[in-house]
């Protein structure tokens, strides 16, 4: 019998006021039900927000280094339970075990990094323009944070948001993706086990419209951190503007890898296989465009196509498999639709382009690694995020053309160039319009202490990870201390 999971609201594990539940199934074997979850609504969200609001004063007054200590303990517990969490994650969203272990590890790294920020959270002291006066700025928390996350990094992305939110002194209402509620529940259990006080963290399960929208619209939620599609990000931005909330949006991508004629082609091949087909192409940083210099175009394709065909598809729990399923049937249909669009637009399909349902894969949403050539930059497969194992290949005759093409996108998350020419590498660092540029590495992969995010329609300028994320979760307060014992008027009495 599948486990009946609960919300955690106001310090208690509870059902939704609606009494309704939804199922979470294994995308590698749709017959397997992982669990059922409360199908919550705005009333559940309101209860969670009121609880988080009540808890705020005590939490903000808990010294930041002590808040950091609790998050350090979370890191220890994530380390202890890593294997178990990785297996649950593979069952609920399909990534192969090596990747789900990496996903948990990112949470661990984020915990240890965030814990140390509890002892920093620097402000500034600067000289005053007036005598006997002292100026400082300090970081203060903001209030209740609404956290809305996608399913493709069910542990890492919630930790990127929740750990800095808590270390900064905010309380949290968390809505995870409906496709990965079990991993999210595990994270909340661990936060509580580590000593996060009841009501400081709340989790409300349910869909984007039923739970996500009420979070974004709630007057008592002062900031929303969202990772997901650009379409939903724009809706959130509009709705949040009604209450002038602070909003961080980490959205879609159409990332490209450039391979120049002087590149180490074997290295570039490993990079594009991992970038395009790792996580079945379901990463915001996935390589969905490959830009090849004409001098190595034929040779590189001769290496790439058989290598893509040799990738082993199957259940991620079997460590021999390299590519898991797509997240659900809707995503499988979307990927297949884009393949038909690509063909109709005149691109040439050189491999893949169909569902894979042999043997054990019959009950899952597997799709063959797919490569299109003869892709033109105005085609939809060249411009729109597909979020699946589909790679569009372009041929260019110069570095300048490659940079022009990589920048011809409404998105700007990740990018990559393979070259041995140091001058070209530095020009690429400067000229590619993206939040992340890899030199001789694939477009995917992030480190917890480095800021993560993109430009253009990939976001609204905030960053996750690194020090920068603490700027999102804190307000800057300026304090002037006048110890002159008399009225001193700035800009007047010192002139
Ligand atoms: P999504 O459909 O936008 O959903 C993301 C989250 O928002 C889910 O929790 C979803 O709930 C919720 N949601 C849906 N509609 C909502 C609404 N109207 N108001 C408030 N919340 C709403 O994205 P996804 O399919 O889960 O994830 C894939 C997308 O995320 C891709 O575009 C990918 O590029 C992007 N992504 C970006 C980054 C980054 O850092 N830039 C990282 C990872 C993924 P339900 O699950 O209940 O629908």
């Amino acid at each position: 019998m599948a486990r009946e999971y609960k919300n955690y609201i106001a310090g208690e594990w509870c059902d939704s006021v609606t009494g309704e539940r939804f199922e979470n199934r294994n995308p590698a074997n749709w017959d397997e039900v992982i669990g059922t979850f409360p199908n919550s609504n705005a009333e559940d969200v309101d209860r969670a927000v009121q609880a988080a609001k009540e808890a705020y004063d005590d939490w903000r007054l808990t010294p930041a280094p002590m808040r950091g200590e609790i998050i350090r303990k979370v890191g220890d517990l994530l380390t202890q339970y890593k294997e178990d969490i990785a297996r649950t994650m593979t069952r609920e969203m399909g990534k192969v075990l090596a990747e789900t272990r990496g996903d948990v590890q990112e949470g661990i790294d984020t915990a240890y990094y965030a814990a140390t920020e509890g002892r920093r959270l620097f402000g500034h002291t600067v000289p005053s323009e007036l005598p006997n006066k002292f100026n400082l700025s300090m970081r203060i928390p903001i209030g209740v944070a609404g956290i809305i996350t996608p399913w493709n990094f069910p542990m890492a992305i919630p930790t990127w948001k929740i750990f800095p939110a808590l270390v900064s002194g905010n309380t949290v209402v968390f809505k995870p993706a409906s496709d990965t509620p079990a991993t999210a529940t595990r994270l909340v259990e661990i936060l509580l086990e580590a000593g996060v006080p009841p009501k400081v963290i709340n989790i409300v399960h349910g869909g984007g419209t039923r739970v996500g929208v009420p979070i974004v619209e709630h007057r008592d939620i002062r900031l929303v951190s969202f990772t997901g599609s650009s379409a939903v990000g724009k809706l959130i931005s509009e709705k949040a503007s009604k209450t002038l909330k602070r909003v961080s949006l980490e959205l879609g991508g159409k990332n490209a890898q450039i391979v120049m004629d002087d590149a180490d082609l074997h290295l570039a091949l490993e990079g594009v296989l991992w970038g395009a087909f790792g996580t079945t192409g379901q990463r915001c940083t996935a390589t969905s465009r490959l830009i090849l210099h004409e001098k190595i175009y034929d040779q590189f394709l001769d290496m790439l196509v058989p290598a893509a065909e040799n990738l082993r598809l199957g259940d991620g729990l079997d460590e021999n498999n390299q590519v898991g399923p797509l997240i659900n049937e809707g995503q499988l249909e979307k990927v297949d639709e884009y393949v038909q669009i690509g063909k109709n637009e005149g691109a040439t399909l050189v491999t893949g382009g169909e569902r894979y349902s042999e043997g054990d894969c019959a009950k899952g949403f597997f799709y063959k690694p797919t490569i299109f050539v003869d892709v033109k930059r105005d085609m939809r497969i060249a411009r729109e995020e597909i979020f699946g194992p589909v790679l569009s290949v372009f041929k260019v005759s110069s570095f300048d053309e490659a940079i022009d093409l990589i920048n011809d996108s409404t998105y700007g998350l990740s990018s990559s160039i393979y070259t041995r020419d140091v001058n070209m590498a530095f020009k690429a660092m400067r000229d590619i319009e993206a939040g992340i540029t890899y030199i001789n590495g694939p477009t995917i992969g992030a480190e917890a202490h480095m800021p993560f995010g993109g430009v253009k329609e990939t976001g609204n300028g905030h960053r996750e990870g690194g020090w920068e994320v603490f700027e999102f979760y804190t307000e800057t307060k300026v304090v002037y201390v006048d110890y002159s014992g008399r009225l001193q008027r700035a800009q007047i009495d010192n002139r």
Side-chain angles (χ1 to χ4, degrees), residues 128-135 480-495:
S128 168
E129 65 185 40
L130 290 160
N132 296 321
K133 194 174 169 199
F134 184 77
N135 294 356
Y480 298 103
V481 184
D482 191 324
Y483 54 97
S484 68
R486 59 193 172 87
L487 173 67
Q488 298 199 87
R489 296 172 299 174
Q491 294 92 38
I492 297 174
D493 290 336
N494 53 343
R495 293 290 159 188

Side-chain angles (χ1 to χ4, degrees), residues 27-40:
N29 172 11
W30 204 241
D31 287 349
E32 186 190 350
V33 180
I34 311 293
T36 67
F37 292 79
N39 199 6
S40 314

